[in-house]
Structures are given as C-alpha cells and as structure tokens.
Amino acid sequence: IATIYFVPERTHFILMPFQIIVAIFMFDIGISISNQKKLLKNLSWQIIGFGIGMPFAGLCIGLLISCMLKLAPGNSVLFSILVASSSY
C-alpha cells in the first residue's frame, strides 16, 4: 500500500489488483499455518537453525558471486537479496 504514494497515477490500475492478490495470498498462507499448530510444536532445533542460517549462507554466496562477476553495487545488493531469499 505504501507504493501507491510513490508510483505515478497512471499505473494504479496495474498495481491495485496485484496488491489485492498478494494480500489474499498472505491471508491464505496465514490461515494454512494456523491450522497446522500441532506440526509447529514438533520443530527440531536443526530445522530452526536451517531456517535462520540458510538465508545468511545464501547472502554470502550471493555477495561472493556478485564480487566475482564485478557487478555494480546496486545489482550486487539485489542479486544477494534474491539469492538469500531463494525467490529468484
């Protein structure tokens, strides 16, 4: 919703449906997770450690690759964030 104030007026018809779809998706994911409370109680420390440590490992890998490719600073940050979040 914050993007509404920074985006030109003519692109609202593109962004609004996307934001609504993302909001519905996030709500649905929240409902799915809340229905699986029993599974959340059985999480081991290895799974929690992996969930915390893997993004940092991905960040380091992304920074290393972007330095080897000699990317611009902005591209390097973007590439590292995408590798760390595994959403590329």
Side-chain angles (χ1 to χ4, degrees), residues 15-61:
L15 285 180
M16 278 307 240
F18 177 73
Q19 290 174 343
I20 292 169
I21 290 169
V22 169
I24 292 170
F25 173 73
M26 296 300 286
F27 182 73
D28 184 49
I29 293 296
I31 296 288
S32 298
I33 293 297
S34 68
N35 288 335
Q36 298 177 1
K37 290 179 192 174
K38 293 177 184 175
L39 294 175
L40 294 176
K41 291 180 183 177
N42 297 329
L43 287 178
S44 66
W45 63 271
Q46 292 96 348
I47 294 174
I48 294 171
F50 180 80
I52 293 172
M54 193 58 196
F56 289 111
L59 177 68
C60 293
I61 292 169

Side-chain angles (χ1 to χ4, degrees), residues 5-22:
Y5 301 108
F6 302 111
V7 176
E9 191 69 34
R10 62 185 177 273
T11 59
H12 284 296
F13 72 96
I14 295 172
L15 285 180
M16 278 307 240
F18 177 73
Q19 290 174 343
I20 292 169
I21 290 169
V22 169

